Amino acid sequence: MTPEESQRRRKRSIAIATVLFALVTIFYVLTIAKLGPQVLNRPI
Amino acid sequence: MTSVSNSLSAAAEPQVLSPVGGEVSDFFALLKPRVMILVIFTALVGMVVSNVHIQPVVGSISLLMIAVGAGASGCLNMWWDADIDAVMTRTAKRPIPDGRIRPDEALAFGIVLSVGSVLVLGLASNWVAAGLLAFTIVFYAVVYSMWLKRATPQNIVIGGAAGALPPMVGQAAVTGTIGVESLVLFMIIFIWTPPHFWALALIKSADYAKAGIPMMPNVAGPDSTRRQIIGYSMLLFPLGLAPVALGFGGWLYAITALLGGLGMLAFSVHVFRNREGEPERKAAMGMFGFSILHLFLMFAALLAEQSLGLFRAVSL
């Protein structure tokens, strides 16, 4: 693999990691937004 | 026919294809970013004309997923059309025909984004909106790209439905249903598409002929296309005023739609009158550019009226 190809692969890996992190954030924020205050209401 | 087939098969041959795959920016280009911006804009207008409270997080994520879904369908379109894109000057530099991304990479990218955007939209808003988004993607990628585009001069008339659906998806995302407001917005974009696209097709007809795509100017001839452009512009004029009649477009929108509609009619007549050389090219490009401005201003007026409190009802 040439240095240029290696750099391209690294950039793609970073982009995939960013997208995965964004997805986790989306699901977290969405859960809080949809449940609202009920997110704290957990019967023991 | 043979020369077209030869040039198409030659164009489909992969060029400089690295096993590592494309750049991040090339993948982004596969999503047709300019189309995505238009989709976000029209879907947002579909949301705000619904006149319901929009939960900001749910609304934003829904818009993002509608945009990703539209990008995914653009990606699948580029994957399928790589052979004809390669022979047209307007599209030859796209990532697949230019050899920067392998077709199988683009296909996988498009499928993953399509499925992902539909699922996340369903979870974020509701499954009516998700179903509509899935229908939009399939309509654009399969019905338009794989079937209509190479089969009939009515390709962009029927296929235009895919580009007209985002306001309906937007409204469905915030209300769970499809109302008359987004149906009217759908019809406006649907009727706007042929004169917009055929203006470009008139001056790119040699390109389309080279790629073997049966666009209206190539099949019915430029004069028939010009008459149809006038016809659709005449249809668009009263349709553009429908939001006023239905009560969700106020004075600002009414003036915008009225002036823009008259402008479209004037440009369509200008295109009809100028049929040779540089004046023909200028008239067609003028129509193409003005049509984009017209649609943008109509939707911007609706957005401003609903979100900035500028709505003043028109008494009829």
Side-chain angles (χ1 to χ4, degrees), chain B residues 37-50 54 59-60 63 66 166-167 169-171 174 185 299 303 306-307:
Chain B
I37 291 169
L38 192 67
V39 166
I40 290 174
F41 184 55
T42 55
L44 176 64
V45 175
M47 286 179 173
V48 298
V49 296
S50 307
I54 302 169
S60 307
L63 268 185
I66 294 168
V169 187
Q171 184 170 43
V174 294
L185 297 181
F299 276 69
L303 186 62
Q306 301 293 335
S307 57

Side-chain angles (χ1 to χ4, degrees), chain B residues 138-151:
Chain B
V138 170
F139 196 86
Y140 187 66
V142 178
V143 178
Y144 170 70
S145 302
M146 296 183 186
W147 174 34
L148 295 171
K149 187 171 178 179
R150 302 179 196 220

Side-chain angles (χ1 to χ4, degrees), chain B residues 39 43 47 61-71 117 121 133 166 169-170 173:
Chain B
V39 166
M47 286 179 173
I61 292 172
S62 299
L63 268 185
L64 179 66
M65 288 308 120
I66 294 168
V68 171
S117 60
L121 181 63
L133 181 64
V169 187

